[in-house]
Structures are given as structure tokens and as C-alpha cells.
Amino acid sequence: MTLSEELAWRGFVNQTTFKEVTALDAKPITFYWGVDPSSDSMTIGNLAAAMMVGHFMKHGHKAILLVGGATGLIGDPDGKSEERSLQTLEQIEKNKHAIAAQYSTVFAGQEFEVVDNYDWFKDINYLTFLRDFGKHVPMRQMLGREFVQSRLKEDGAGISYAEFSYSLIQGYDFLHLFQNKSVTLQLCGADQWGNSIAGVDLIRRITGGEAHIWSTPLIINKSTGIKFGKTEDGAIWLDESKTSVYKFYQFWINVDDEGVEGYLKIYTNLSKDEVDSVMSEHKNDPSKRIAQKRLALEVTGIIHGVERAQSTERLSNVLFSGVNELLSSEDVALAEKELPVVEVREQLPSVTEILQSAFGVSSSEARRALQEKSVYIDGRQLDANEPSLSEDDLQKGYTIVRRGKNRTVLVVDKRG
């Protein structure tokens, strides 16, 4: 499968300046893709574009990966209804190192060069920049941007000169990389099309050279119609201090059936035959969520490593599938981070006491849960005649107590 064919199959085709998409299949191209360090982690929104970048690498194209130390000091105003709060140089520096480290994780085994646009902006004289580059940027083009128009409306929040100039700054990045790194292609998300065009236009006006853009669609949750990766708790981050490995895995387990095939194509490196095989098995019995489980294992493996992905898979199976599988010490340590924990230090607690301690329910509510047979120990359904744990329940050193489908507590034997 050629690169253009693979991009089409995986859903990475949006707008491009190429007249023929097969131009990607001819000779190696030096391209760049970047992330502004507005945070110390990428999200799964960034990850979608990063996965596309990985396919360009695998097909022999040379990658320049940018961390936007300069653009990050301003902040991209596109899609924002109000002015961003400015970050300090120290915070941007911390964020840059974190983003660069995630590049190494996502693109492990691939060759790429990391650059920082602060390196070429920090010494530019303001008047020189206006004369040599600002002179070539038409105001009509910048004023025509949709986000500028919305911010300048009577009920809009307005826009500062700094944010208004953002597209010129990013456009200069492309020009600098074109002149110094032979970059002729920028990869971006659909929301960066306008900023990217500014670079193509600047290259043409100043050098007479030809440069191109390839953009990927923003990922939309088909069942809700909103941007994929946004939850009630906020964005899904790649940094485990922001989104734990377990919660990251569970996010993918819970994606909708309507979108799961598309997510397998976008967020994994599975081949077409492998995706077709997974989906065929999934469609035989969607209730088993075979596609979601494979998706969760693959994506978590890319970001957090195969061993931690497999550990999270085992824990998930025990918690939600009723599988009485022996957890390793690492699995139990993971569970202790993610679940309410009740420690057994003397006598065995009653199930009522466990539910009260873990979930803050009343004793009468806990007893009612037993009477309704909605309480399980290691997947075994309890009834009102089994009000306490037994020694057999703790022979592994722990046990899992679950109320209903989603309320789970880890009981750990600490008696010796």
C-alpha cells in the first residue's frame, strides 16, 4: 500500500495543496509538524495527527518535529473566543522538554530531528522582521480569518496585536525551515490550515519557491458530534500524571461501536488485514467489545509500553469481565492507585463494612445491595447469606469487591 493509499484508508485526508495526492508516493520529502507547548503534555487530539506523521516516516519521508517555544509564548488564538493567558519562559521551557520526550515515545524506533522555533526567533530584530517578512503578508488575508472576524464582532472579546500576529510567526517557521532544512511540506490538523497557508504564501512571495500542506481532519465522536477526546473530566492526556494509565485504557474501552473501526485505523499501527479481522470478530458479537479491547491494548501500548498495557488489560478483565485471573504484584499496585482500597489488618470485615468504607453508603443501603444480589467478590455473586469475607476470598492476598457494574473496591490483606 502506498502512502497516499494508506492515508486515504486510515482517514488522514482533509485539505492539501497538492494537485495529485500521489505526489507523496514519488520521492522522499522533508516535512515538518509541530506542537505548541501550551501544556506539558499532548492530548489524544495531538496523537491523531502524530500517528499520521508516523506513517510519513515509515514511508521514507524525513521528519522535522517542532516544539514551539516562540509560538507558545503567544498562543494560537484560532478556535479561542478570548485572549489566552500568557505563560512564563520557565513554564514554556518545562513544557518543551515534556513534549519532546513524548515525541520520543510516540515515534520510538523512527528517525527524526527536533527543532525549537524560539532558537531562531530570540535574536530577530523587530524592525528587520517587519521590513523583511511582515511586508510580504497582506492584511486582507489575515483579517479574513474566521476566528479574527468572530473576535472583532461587536459582541466579540477583541484580539490583541500579539495574537493577531500568530499566523505570521508560524508562517515564518515554514519559511525558515524551507531555507535552512529544505522543508517543503507541513503536516497539520484541519484547524491549522489557515496558519499553514500563511507559510506557503510567504515562501512563494519571498523565495519564489514551492511548498505544500497536508492536513488531517479533526477527529469527531460520531455518537456525540463533539471533538473526540473531550470528556466530562476534561481532555485525555498522554502524560500519566494528568490521565492515569488505567483511565487512559478505560477511555478506549468505552468508545462507541459506531466510531471504533475508525479509531483502530487512526490510533493504531494495525494493518488493513488486521483491522478487518478484528472488526469481523467484533461484529459477530458486539457485546464482547472485542474491537474496543484491541484498540485500548494497542494505543496504551504505544504511549505507556506493552507491559503496562497488558497489566491494565488484566486488571480491567478482573474488574469488569468477572474473570478470576491472578493479578501480579504490579497489577495490584496499579489497582491500589486507581480504586478505593480497604485494608484488612485484624479480623475480616463484613461486606457491609467494605461498601460503607469504600463508597460512603449507609449500612442500610449496603445491606439492601446484598439483598438485591448486586454485590460480587471476584466475579462471584453474593446474597444476603454471605455477609462477610472468608479466608478463601483473601488467599491471593487481595480480593475485588464490586457493587453493580462500575463501583469497585480492592480489599488487601495486610495482616502479615
Side-chain angles (χ1 to χ4, degrees):
M1 189 182 293
T2 65
L3 175 57
S4 62
E5 290 170 339
E6 182 156 23
L7 294 174
W9 172 70
R10 290 189 183 273
F12 288 128
V13 179
N14 190 55
Q15 290 175 284
T16 182
T17 55
F18 287 115
K19 292 181 180 178
E20 299 290 340
V21 297
T22 52
L24 298 176
D25 307 325
K27 60 182 180 179
I29 299 169
T30 301
F31 70 89
Y32 96 95
W33 173 74
V35 174
D36 269 357
S38 54
S39 174
D40 57 0
S41 175
M42 292 191 283
T43 68
I44 62 171
N46 302 122
L47 180 59
M51 294 301 292
M52 176 185 71
V53 169
H55 294 298
F56 274 79
M57 293 183 188
K58 290 167 191 171
H59 282 266
H61 298 302
K62 182 180 178 181
I64 306 291
L65 304 182
L66 183 143
V67 288
T71 38
L73 287 170
I74 304 300
D76 186 358
D78 203 349
K80 304 295 180 183
S81 59
E82 297 181 350
E83 194 85 6
R84 285 176 179 264
S85 298
L86 296 179
Q87 298 194 58
T88 64
L89 274 170
E90 292 74 18
Q91 185 61 52
I92 292 293
E93 189 68 22
K94 173 179 176 288
N95 293 352
K96 286 191 303 188
H97 288 294
I99 297 297
Q102 289 184 342
Y103 286 164
S104 296
T105 296
V106 175
F107 304 116
Q110 302 284 349
E111 290 188 11
F112 58 88
E113 179 183 354
V114 177
V115 298
D116 177 3
N117 59 11
Y118 185 72
D119 290 338
W120 54 82
F121 268 107
K122 62 183 178 181
D123 297 322
I124 292 181
N125 177 278
Y126 178 65
L127 290 176
T128 300
F129 185 72
L130 288 181
R131 282 179 61 87
D132 294 349
F133 309 110
K135 188 72 173 175
H136 297 279
V137 180
M139 284 294 294
R140 179 179 297 177
Q141 181 187 76
M142 298 178 72
L143 287 169
R145 299 286 300 280
E146 184 178 342
F147 78 90
V148 173
Q149 291 295 314
S150 65
R151 295 269 287 269
L152 291 178
K153 287 181 179 177
E154 187 173 335
D155 58 347
I159 186 168
S160 69
Y161 178 76
E163 286 200 352
F164 179 72
S165 302
Y166 183 91
S167 62
L168 172 58
I169 298 172
Q170 186 172 314
Y172 178 77
D173 285 344
F174 202 169
L175 173 65
H176 177 87
L177 293 172
F178 178 87
Q179 293 176 320
N180 293 276
K181 298 286 185 181
S182 301
V183 170
T184 58
L185 172 64
Q186 181 179 357
L187 305 187
C188 65
D191 56 343
Q192 290 296 307
W193 178 259
N195 291 333
S196 302
I197 283 291
V200 169
D201 195 46
L202 198 60
I203 288 169
R204 178 181 58 81
R205 288 172 180 270
I206 290 179
T207 73
E210 182 179 338
H212 291 281
I213 305 165
W214 184 281
S215 69
T216 183
L218 298 181
I219 311 303
I220 302 299
N221 186 323
K222 292 182 179 180
S223 64
T224 64
I226 64 175
K227 192 174 179 180
F228 184 65
K230 297 289 185 181
T231 69
E232 291 181 3
D233 297 327
I236 303 299
W237 302 90
L238 306 194
D239 186 333
E240 65 178 290
S241 68
K242 292 177 173 288
T243 299
S244 71
V245 182
Y246 176 79
K247 288 180 180 177
F248 187 83
Y249 179 93
Q250 288 301 318
F251 171 81
W252 300 103
I253 282 285
N254 290 315
V255 300
D256 57 288
D257 280 336
E258 187 178 359
V260 69
E261 183 174 2
Y263 306 145
L264 279 166
K265 294 175 181 179
I266 291 167
Y267 286 102
T268 79
N269 290 312
L270 296 177
S271 68
K272 185 177 186 304
D273 287 344
E274 289 172 315
V275 171
D276 289 345
S277 176
V278 170
M279 290 309 302
S280 176
E281 190 176 358
H282 174 82
K283 289 171 183 176
N284 286 336
D285 188 354
S287 66
K288 292 182 178 179
R289 302 187 74 75
I290 289 169
Q292 284 89 344
K293 290 177 181 178
R294 183 63 182 275
L295 173 68
L297 183 64
E298 294 290 332
V299 185
T300 307
I302 290 170
I303 303 305
H304 298 294
V306 173
E307 289 186 4
R308 298 185 77 188
Q310 291 173 340
S311 176
T312 310
E313 179 186 43
R314 287 191 295 271
L315 178 59
S316 184
N317 286 339
V318 168
L319 297 183
F320 298 108
S321 302
V323 177
N324 191 12
E325 183 175 351
L326 182 64
L327 298 176
S328 68
S329 57
E330 291 80 8
D331 301 340
V332 175
L334 173 63
E336 287 183 294
K337 290 181 180 179
E338 301 295 341
L339 303 176
V341 176
V342 171
E343 296 181 348
V344 178
R345 294 193 175 274
E346 295 182 3
Q347 73 227 38
L348 295 175
S350 69
V351 175
T352 300
E353 289 171 333
I354 292 170
L355 296 179
Q356 286 180 279
S357 175
F359 307 124
V361 301
S362 65
S363 58
S364 60
E365 185 179 347
R367 288 194 299 270
R368 186 163 60 251
L370 277 170
Q371 292 166 355
E372 294 171 348
K373 296 185 178 181
S374 63
V375 180
Y376 302 79
I377 293 181
D378 281 345
R380 173 174 56 85
Q381 189 177 49
L382 300 184
D383 59 33
N385 296 321
E386 297 180 90
S388 298
L389 295 185
S390 69
E391 290 293 345
D392 286 343
D393 293 325
L394 287 173
Q395 62 180 342
K396 296 176 293 188
Y398 68 88
T399 193
I400 303 290
V401 176
R402 175 165 56 88
R403 180 192 176 188
K405 290 184 177 181
N406 298 314
R407 306 185 75 183
T408 309
V409 54
L410 176 69
V411 181
V412 183
D413 192 348
K414 296 286 188 178
R415 292 175 297 179

